[in-house]
């Protein structure tokens, strides 16, 4: 099987190359993102492999079907960027990696919180400039504070454990509360009223788009810290900016951003940033943004490569596994 990998970087190849060789599969690594303009690059492939910022809309799906490509391998958990309805119509199977080291993302959420709260990036930059002054670097103890977790799936559960490890009280919200989970589920308004930190761990669905909107931010405690390692569109960016400006939001850690597709994973250091909201967010002293890298551990990359190849093998053998994403999963 020849697989066209979109949006690939050297660290992807590092893990995929040996496994592909072992499985007797041939990679076609493409640096570009998947889009209407680039889908044709895969014309000799039997499957495509895509990542979080590739776009697989109806037009791309139609083109894939024309090229007789019937397998889309997502080397990620989220599938919000694939038109599943169009795939079903064209008999294209979509398979994902539902879990790859949930710890990697939950640990990163905690790292973002620590960085925002204890101003570690600022302190580091000062020391690099031989400035040993610590004025303006005051944080607060996490022990005894309340963390609100939205989405108590694989990553959210790890986050609950980690935040409890700091001595925090953890409350949670999930559309489908997990009865077996030892956590206090609350409504969103109650969470906003009580949480000192809110960390997002739900998927992006039509229901969760802008789950953190202007109204939600207004209800939050003054000085709340907001951490998003899930998907950028969970937060209404303009409302977030206003919330920071008004002082309602005390600190923000974002590994994802709603307009990230145009910027993340690319070097824009010698270009003019056109996205005013992103530029504004970057200027705030209490905001830390990283480039969708919460998953980026060797353990997670290894699992992503292994499960993606397993998915391709299962498809070839006609033995589809539980990693197939169906149209019915859109609202799951
Ligand atoms: P999961 O499917 O195990 O858990 C998601 C949880 O969200 C489930 O408990 C589900 O019931 C809940 N949920 C669904 N709709 C909801 C709603 N409307 N309101 C509240 N909760 C809702 O997923 P996971 O493995 O824990 O991953 C969570 C998300 O993390 C993924 O969807 C993805 O967007 C993101 N992610 C980010 C990175 C990164 O590198 N930044 C890496 C992996 C995953």
């Amino acid at each position: 099987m020849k697989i066209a990998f979109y949006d690939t970087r050297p660290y992807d190849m590092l893990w995929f190359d040996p496994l592909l060789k072992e499985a007797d599969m041939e990679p076609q690594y493409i640096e570009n993102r998947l889009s209407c303009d680039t889908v044709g690059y895969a014309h000799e492939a039997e499957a495509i492999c895509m990542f979080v910022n590739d776009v697989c809309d109806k037009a791309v799906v139609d083109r894939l079907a024309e090229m007789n490509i019937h397998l889309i391998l997502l080397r990620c958990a989220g599938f919000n960027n694939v038109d599943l309805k169009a795939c079903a119509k064209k008999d294209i199977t979509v398979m994902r990696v539902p879990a790859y080291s949930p710890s990697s993302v939950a640990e990163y959420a905690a790292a973002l919180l620590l960085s925002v709260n204890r101003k570690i990036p600022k302190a580091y930059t000062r020391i690099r400039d031989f400035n040993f002054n610590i004025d303006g670097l005051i944080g607060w103890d996490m022990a005894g504070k309340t963390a609100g977790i939205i989405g108590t799936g694989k990553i959210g559960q790890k986050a609950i454990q980690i935040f409890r490890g700091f001595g925090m009280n953890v409350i949670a919200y999930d559309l489908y509360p997990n009865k077996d989970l030892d956590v206090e589920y609350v409504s969103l308004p109650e969470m906003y009223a009580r949480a000192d930190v809110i960390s997002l761990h739900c998927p992006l669905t039509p229901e969760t788009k802008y789950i953190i909107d202007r109204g939600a931010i207004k209800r939050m405690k003054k000085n709340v810290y907001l951490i998003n390692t899930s998907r950028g569109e969970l937060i209404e960016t303009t409302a977030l900016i206003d919330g920071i400006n008004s002082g309602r939001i005390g600190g923000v850690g974002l590994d994802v951003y709603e307009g990230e597709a145009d910027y993340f994973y690319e070097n824009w250091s010698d270009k003019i940033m056109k996205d005013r909201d992103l530029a504004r967010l970057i200027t705030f002293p209490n905001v830390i943004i990283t480039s969708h890298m919460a998953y980026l551990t060797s353990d997670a990359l290894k699992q992503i490569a292994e499960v993606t190849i397993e998915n391709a093998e299962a498809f070839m053998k006609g033995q589809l596994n539980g990693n197939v994403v169906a149209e019915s999963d859109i609202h799951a």
Side-chain angles (χ1 to χ4, degrees):
M1 176 184 264
K2 184 169 181 175
I3 306 173
F5 287 76
Y6 281 90
D7 202 10
T8 34
R9 297 292 179 269
Y11 49 79
D12 294 309
M13 301 174 203
L14 205 64
W15 298 102
F16 271 106
D17 268 341
L19 291 173
L20 286 161
K21 206 169 170 190
E22 212 174 288
D24 206 17
M25 292 178 186
E26 191 191 337
Q28 177 192 0
Y29 292 122
I30 301 168
E31 225 183 283
N32 309 66
R33 298 240 169 96
L34 175 66
S35 69
C36 252
D37 297 333
T38 61
V39 63
Y41 298 170
H43 69 278
E44 286 179 353
E46 291 148 88
I48 62 155
C49 182
M50 55 179 279
F51 197 47
V52 292
N53 286 323
D54 290 307
V55 175
C56 193
D57 56 16
K58 186 179 175 304
V60 170
V61 171
D62 288 348
R63 187 78 185 94
L64 287 172
E66 277 166 30
M67 296 192 304
N68 208 21
I69 293 178
H70 287 278
L71 176 63
I72 296 173
L73 297 160
L74 292 165
R75 54 181 194 281
C76 53
F79 46 84
N80 50 283
N81 49 342
V82 182
D83 188 332
L84 293 174
K85 220 172 166 177
C87 288
K89 258 192 200 147
K90 296 287 177 181
D91 193 26
I92 292 178
T93 302
V94 181
M95 300 177 87
R96 66 173 178 143
V97 184
Y100 47 92
S101 177
S103 298
S104 65
V105 181
E107 288 168 11
Y108 197 84
L112 277 178
L113 173 60
L114 285 168
S115 304
V116 170
N117 180 25
R118 304 305 300 270
K119 284 102 183 142
I120 293 169
K122 268 192 183 184
Y124 171 80
T125 315
R126 280 193 197 178
I127 299 293
R128 300 278 299 178
D129 199 27
F130 300 98
N131 176 359
F132 297 94
N133 186 308
I134 58 170
D135 285 343
L137 301 183
I138 302 171
W140 40 255
D141 284 13
M142 304 211 312
K145 302 292 188 307
T146 298
I149 304 293
I150 300 186
T152 56
K154 292 174 285 296
I155 297 172
Q157 287 176 39
K158 292 281 177 193
I160 290 171
Q161 286 173 5
I162 293 170
F163 289 132
R164 277 189 180 145
F166 286 121
M168 300 185 85
N169 307 310
V170 179
I171 55 178
Y173 169 79
D174 196 299
L175 197 58
Y176 310 101
N178 179 347
K179 289 186 188 72
D180 300 326
L181 197 62
D182 175 26
V183 71
E184 182 190 357
Y185 279 104
V186 296
S187 67
L188 283 175
E190 184 174 349
M191 178 180 292
Y192 299 149
R194 287 175 56 192
D196 301 292
V197 172
I198 293 174
S199 192
L200 301 176
H201 300 289
C202 58
L204 175 64
T205 64
E207 291 80 26
T208 59
K209 179 164 180 183
Y210 289 170
I211 190 168
I212 304 297
D213 60 6
R214 208 164 286 277
I217 290 171
K218 268 193 192 140
R219 289 199 183 106
M220 290 177 192
K221 267 173 99 166
K222 193 162 164 51
N223 275 325
V224 65
Y225 282 179
L226 202 54
I227 306 295
N228 189 5
T229 54
S230 261
R231 285 291 180 268
E233 284 155 291
L234 297 179
I235 299 182
E236 184 184 0
T237 304
T238 51
L240 178 70
I241 291 171
D242 291 345
I244 301 165
N245 269 326
S246 71
R248 163 87 35 199
I249 296 178
V252 181
L254 300 179
D255 185 49
V256 289
Y257 167 68
E258 67 170 312
E260 71 176 54
D262 291 336
Y263 295 97
F264 283 19
Y265 303 136
E266 305 297 335
N267 180 1
W268 274 78
S269 58
D270 59 354
K271 299 184 193 106
I272 305 300
M273 154 78 58
K274 298 258 178 352
D275 185 326
R276 287 172 183 230
D277 290 340
L278 181 55
R280 182 69 185 105
L281 282 172
I282 291 169
T283 66
F284 285 118
N286 52 351
V287 174
I288 293 176
I289 300 181
T290 57
S291 189
H292 204 140
M293 54 172 280
Y295 72 98
L296 199 66
T297 66
S298 52
D299 306 84
L301 288 170
K302 185 168 175 275
Q303 282 176 37
I304 288 171
E306 283 172 355
V307 176
T308 303
I309 301 301
E310 276 168 30
N311 287 346
E313 281 177 329
F315 176 83
M316 283 201 311
K317 287 182 194 149
Q319 298 168 348
L320 292 179
N321 57 29
N323 297 339
V324 172
V325 193
E327 210 184 325
S328 56
D329 292 318
I330 297 175
H331 298 275

